[in-house]
Each structure stands twice: as C-alpha cells, then as structure tokens.
Amino acid sequence: PNATAVSNFAHSLVPTGKALFRDISANIEEDERAVLEDRSTSSAQDDSFSQDMFVKLLERALDNLWLAQRYELVPRVIQLMLPHLDRMRLYDRLVELHQQCSNSYLKMMEVYSSGKRFLATYFRVAFHGKIFGPDEGQQYIYKEPNVTSLATISQRLTSLYTDKFGSENFKFLHDSDLSPKNLDPKMGYLQVTHVEPYLEELEQLKGGEVALGALTDFDMHHNVNKFVFEAPFTRPSPHHYGTGSGSGSGAEASSAGDASSSSTRHAAQLNEQYIRKIILRTKQAFPYVEKRVLVEMVQSFELSPIEVACEALKRTSVELKLILNKRQQADMKRLQLKLQGAIGTQVNAGPMAYAKAFLQDERQYAYAANKVKQLKLIYIDFVSTCADALELNGKLIKADQYEFHENLKLSFKSLVEKLAAILKMDISDKGTLEWSMAPVATALASDSPTVSANSRKSSAISNASANSPQSHNSAGRRNSTKVLTEISRTNNSDTFR
C-alpha cells in the first residue's frame, strides 16, 4: 500500500490521523499526489488494506525509528496503533507499546542532556557542465549520516565521477563561491559545501526572542527544507583608521609594540569583512526516502562588518547559555572548551578585536547608532554569560583543575577591564560590565539633538557632585534618573536585541 492509503486509513481510525502523519513527515501529501491521479489503483489498494496490515506497517516503522534515533516520533506512531489494539483487547501488546513510549521519553532526556546524538550532516553539491546531463546547473542537498566530514564526501564523489567520466573530463572545485562563467563547458565540475539547517526559530533564539529550551537537535533535523551556508568576502571600508597611535615608518616601531600593533591592524581589517548568507530551499524536506534532494530556490543577504561582529558574539553567548541551561547535567568538557574559546588568553583577541574595530574612540561614530548600541548590549550580555559559565565551571571542577580555572578567571578579569576601558563602562561587583551613568547620557545624547541640553545638564550635575563630599547622595541619583528617563523617551524608537 502507498503512503496515502496508510494515511487515509489512519484518519478512519483516529480523527487526527492525517495530521499525525503530516507531523511525522511533511512529504507524504506532496509525494502521493501523483499516485492519487490514478483513482482506480488507489481505490483498489484502499479496499484491500486492513487494520492488521496497518498495525504491522507501523510496527516496522517503530523499529526503524529506534534505529534512526528518532525517539520523538515513537509516541506519535504508537498513538496511531492504540485504538485498534484497544478494540481488539490486546492488552499485552498495549503494555509493551506504553513501555516503548516511556522508554522513548527516557532516551529523549538522555540525548538532550548529553548532547551526543548526531542525526545528520548536510552538504550542498552543485553540478556544472553538460557532462552531467539533466543535473547540469543543478544543486542538491545531500544528507549524510552522523558526523560526516567535508573531506569524506568530497573524496567519495570525486572517486565516483572520476571513474564515470575519466579524470581528464572531471574536476573537483574547492571554491564554494566560484562563478560558473569561468568554467570550461566541456568539463564536468563539482562543488561541495557544508551547510546547516536554517530555521527562523534558530535566528530568533540568537536574538533572545525564543526560550533556550524551545529548540532541540531533533527540531533542527526534522521536516527541514531550508539550509544555509556563509561566504565571507571583503569590501574596502570608507572608514579606514590608522594601525597605531604613533607616526613614522615601520623601522621606527619598537618590538615591544609589535603585539599591540598587530592586534590593532587586525581590528582595522574587521571593518572590511562582510558575510553573504545563502539560503537554499529544497523540494522535499529531510528526512526523506532519498539521500539527496533538489534545491528549488536560492536566496541570499549580506551582513555588514558590525553585524558580523554582533552575530559572532551572540552565537558564543547562546552556545554558553545552552550549556548553562542544563546546570545539573552540564557537560564540563564542552563548557570548558566554549569558555576557553570565549575568554582564553590565546583567543580573547576575538572579542577584543571587535571592540577595537567598532567601538573604540571615534570608530563608533562611523556606524549606525542603533548598531553600535546593539553591539554594546551584546557585549554586556556576553560578559555576563561568561561570568555565569565561569562560576559554573568553578563548581564542577576537581582539585587537579584548580590552576586551569584560576587562569580562566585571570583571563576573564583582564578581558573585562580592557572592554570596560574601550566601551566606557563600569565594572560591577560581580565583575561584569554595566552602563556608566555619565557616558551613557553623553553617548545617547549624541544621537539625538533634543536631549543634548539634558546631557549637558547631567554633566554639570555630575561635575558639581564630584566636588561635593556627598557625591552619591539621593538627590544626585534622582537627577541621573530624570536624565536617563528623558533619554529613554527620546530614543524609544531604537530596538535592542
């Protein structure tokens, strides 16, 4: 029987049968339209279809779901079987199925906690050249099992097409963004690019619009038909700044300033680095009965350099928060790897370089005010998340890792101090970043002429208070609050993510 016959039969047994099948696979209705055109064949199949056949098919499906580690679908399939077995009073089978259902939930909890389930890896494969026949100019998404490397699939496809066409007629392309216009039409070319599932919910998660527990690895790999990959490129920046505070030739530079100069040069280059995101939509959703699916639509958009910085820092924060969300069952090794990548002395040039490139001194005025504010808020969240992760690591470590943890704490303290100096922020009692009253008023007022007078008034109040022995009295705090409230009203059109 075809899938439509099974779906129709499920609907006759359970009112929500068809909806359950759509939830199990989004491809069923689309794939069966061609079959439904032959009404007589479809009807014959429906007439010969029985409840016992239906249950046996679902039992086979259950076995395959367990093998595929798709534990989330087990209860949904069992739900379709229960009415028939209940009517037949097959209580021993009902007990077994309910136990399977219970086991599936236990397995879900296990894999969510461990993070060690790898459902699939995806690649975009593009075909160029008439030698490929109907596949010429087409792109496919290949679904590979577990963790498959780019080298593995590239080698396999290269061997396949070299044997088929000969090495003189086939070439593997390593540039994922190469234009087909530059290729020899007589040759066959293959491009392979690693892609990730693209979900709107995932983008919302990065922006803090979706709860951390709202997405699981299953959601990322079930009924997914959109994929994304990134192509970085450079574009000369109109806002170019010098690579150091001093003047003169390179011969005059001292060796002591080499590291700092190198870091500043790197920061200057970041304002020329863009990312083009390419989104591919496939004809069918994965998982599917075939391991490759045709790409039917391609979209792309660009991220500006400051947007690239925002996304990079948000991605790190989200990854740490996902680990923190499992505090009682957190993966310590994973936590430490992420922490080292965020604040380790060898790599904290990443967060520091972004701060120097977009927020240091006059650099911030080269970018849209709302983007600068957004990046500053992301830094506050990034530092706070790192502090929470560092605290959790301190609770999880054993005695032999004490020195490692202390080094992380020193690296974090150094990072925060440097960021506070660049962002003109204060350091809280917790050791994180927080807005400094006068700088916030000044920075925000610079974006809105209507509050510049209030900013100057706030500055005057701050200066007068600084010379007073009661510089932190309640009157001063009330004045600061009034200024910030008015600033907030004036700038309420800005959206912080």
Side-chain angles (χ1 to χ4, degrees):
N2 60 57
T4 299
V6 179
S7 179
N8 289 337
F9 195 83
H11 185 64
S12 70
L13 295 176
V14 185
T16 58
K18 280 192 174 181
L20 283 169
F21 264 83
R22 280 196 299 271
D23 196 26
I24 292 170
S25 175
N27 300 312
I28 288 177
E29 289 185 88
E30 181 67 27
D31 282 358
E32 294 305 318
R33 282 178 186 171
V35 179
L36 286 174
E37 291 177 1
D38 187 353
R39 297 285 182 180
S40 59
T41 303
S42 181
S43 298
Q45 288 175 338
D46 286 345
D47 292 340
S48 64
F49 198 56
S50 68
Q51 291 187 4
D52 288 337
M53 292 175 64
F54 175 71
V55 171
K56 285 180 180 178
L57 280 173
L58 293 181
E59 286 174 342
R60 285 172 56 191
L62 276 179
D63 292 339
N64 289 325
L65 289 174
W66 280 106
L67 289 172
Q69 297 185 322
R70 302 271 171 170
Y71 309 120
E72 290 81 354
L73 297 179
V74 169
R76 305 179 198 183
V77 173
I78 288 175
Q79 188 176 344
L80 293 169
M81 302 167 65
L82 295 179
H84 170 65
L85 297 175
D86 188 54
R87 278 194 295 269
M88 300 298 293
R89 299 184 180 181
L90 299 173
Y91 300 127
D92 57 338
R93 187 73 181 112
L94 286 169
V95 169
E96 184 184 340
L97 287 176
H98 279 93
Q99 186 60 52
Q100 272 204 57
C101 194
S102 174
N103 290 339
S104 71
Y105 287 117
L106 290 172
K107 290 298 290 184
M108 287 182 225
M109 292 169 61
E110 179 186 324
V111 296
Y112 293 162
S113 173
S114 68
K116 293 180 180 178
R117 177 174 60 171
F118 304 102
L119 292 173
T121 309
Y122 305 92
F123 299 92
R124 178 201 71 146
V125 180
F127 296 84
H128 303 289
K130 295 180 181 179
I131 198 171
F132 291 112
D135 282 342
E136 180 194 4
Q138 300 288 7
Q139 299 182 74
Y140 290 87
I141 298 297
Y142 279 62
K143 175 179 172 287
E144 297 294 314
N146 302 323
V147 181
T148 302
S149 68
L150 180 63
T152 300
I153 184 175
S154 299
Q155 185 177 4
R156 191 184 78 225
L157 292 177
T158 298
S159 299
L160 173 68
Y161 288 107
T162 298
D163 293 343
K164 186 175 182 179
F165 301 122
S167 58
E168 68 279 4
N169 297 316
F170 172 80
K171 186 176 180 181
F172 183 84
L173 296 175
H174 294 279
D175 190 347
S176 63
D177 203 28
L178 188 65
S179 172
K181 296 177 183 179
N182 302 327
L183 306 178
D184 183 352
K186 296 177 183 179
M187 292 278 291
Y189 298 90
L190 202 66
Q191 289 175 295
V192 180
T193 310
H194 177 258
V195 296
E196 295 282 353
Y198 180 85
L199 282 78
E200 281 76 7
E201 293 86 350
L202 181 62
E203 300 306 303
Q204 293 168 358
L205 175 63
K206 291 177 185 176
E209 301 166 25
V210 172
L212 287 174
L215 282 180
T216 67
D217 61 332
F218 175 78
D219 298 315
M220 294 291 295
H221 296 277
H222 181 63
N223 281 341
V224 57
N225 70 338
K226 286 185 180 179
F227 301 85
V228 63
F229 70 95
E230 298 179 352
F233 65 98
T234 58
R235 184 180 292 162
S237 172
H239 315 295
H240 183 75
Y241 297 92
T243 58
S245 58
S247 60
S249 66
E252 296 170 343
S254 66
S255 59
D258 286 348
S260 175
S261 178
S262 174
S263 175
T264 311
R265 283 196 298 273
H266 177 56
Q269 293 168 0
L270 288 176
N271 59 25
E272 299 178 358
Q273 294 179 5
Y274 292 73
I275 283 181
R276 182 177 295 108
K277 285 198 172 189
I278 297 93
I279 301 171
L280 311 168
R281 191 179 74 187
T282 55
K283 190 174 182 181
Q284 287 88 17
F286 284 106
Y288 190 50
V289 292
E290 297 177 1
K291 71 179 300 179
R292 75 171 193 175
V293 174
L294 181 68
V295 173
E296 66 174 3
M297 190 182 77
V298 180
Q299 295 176 308
S300 67
F301 60 91
E302 293 180 3
L303 294 180
S304 67
I306 194 169
E307 289 172 332
V308 171
C310 288
E311 178 151 310
L313 290 170
K314 280 194 291 186
R315 184 184 294 115
T316 302
S317 293
V318 167
E319 289 171 350
L320 283 171
K321 286 176 182 177
L322 288 171
I323 299 173
L324 290 169
N325 205 36
K326 307 172 184 175
R327 297 189 73 88
Q328 300 303 322
Q329 300 171 315
D331 186 334
M332 187 173 70
K333 289 184 180 179
R334 196 165 162 224
L335 173 65
Q336 290 176 352
L337 283 172
K338 295 294 180 187
L339 261 178
Q340 253 187 319
I343 63 176
T345 52
Q346 299 300 319
V347 292
N348 79 19
M352 280 302 304
Y354 285 131
K356 289 180 179 180
F358 304 109
L359 301 176
Q360 189 170 39
D361 301 330
E362 72 278 5
R363 292 179 188 272
Q364 61 182 306
Y365 303 115
Y367 304 97
N370 64 323
K371 294 295 180 185
V372 171
K373 293 175 190 176
Q374 182 185 356
L375 184 55
K376 288 183 178 181
L377 286 171
I378 289 170
Y379 265 110
I380 291 175
D381 180 64
F382 168 78
V383 169
S384 177
T385 304
C386 288
D388 291 339
L390 200 57
E391 181 183 352
L392 177 60
N393 186 66
K395 295 176 180 178
L396 295 176
I397 61 167
K398 302 215 163 93
D400 61 342
Q401 288 189 309
Y402 179 77
E403 186 178 350
F404 168 77
H405 181 69
E406 287 300 306
N407 287 334
L408 279 180
K409 287 171 64 176
L410 288 174
S411 297
F412 177 69
K413 184 174 181 291
S414 173
L415 175 65
V416 173
E417 288 173 352
K418 292 175 183 176
L419 287 175
I422 292 174
L423 275 61
K424 304 295 188 293
M425 290 185 179
D426 292 336
I427 299 176
S428 70
D429 295 338
K430 187 184 174 183
T432 58
L433 295 176
E434 62 182 13
W435 292 110
S436 177
M437 288 293 141
V440 167
T442 304
L444 293 179
S446 66
D447 299 325
S448 176
T450 59
V451 295
S452 59
N454 290 315
S455 177
R456 288 192 294 270
K457 180 180 178 182
S458 174
S459 179
I461 291 171
S462 298
N463 291 334
S465 299
N467 296 322
S468 168
Q470 298 177 339
S471 59
H472 298 289
N473 62 14
S474 58
R477 286 196 296 271
R478 284 196 298 273
N479 280 314
S480 297
T481 302
K482 288 179 182 179
V483 172
L484 290 175
T485 302
E486 187 161 355
I487 291 170
S488 177
R489 288 200 198 102
T490 310
N491 292 277
N492 61 6
S493 60
D494 290 324
T495 302
F496 299 138
R497 294 184 61 190

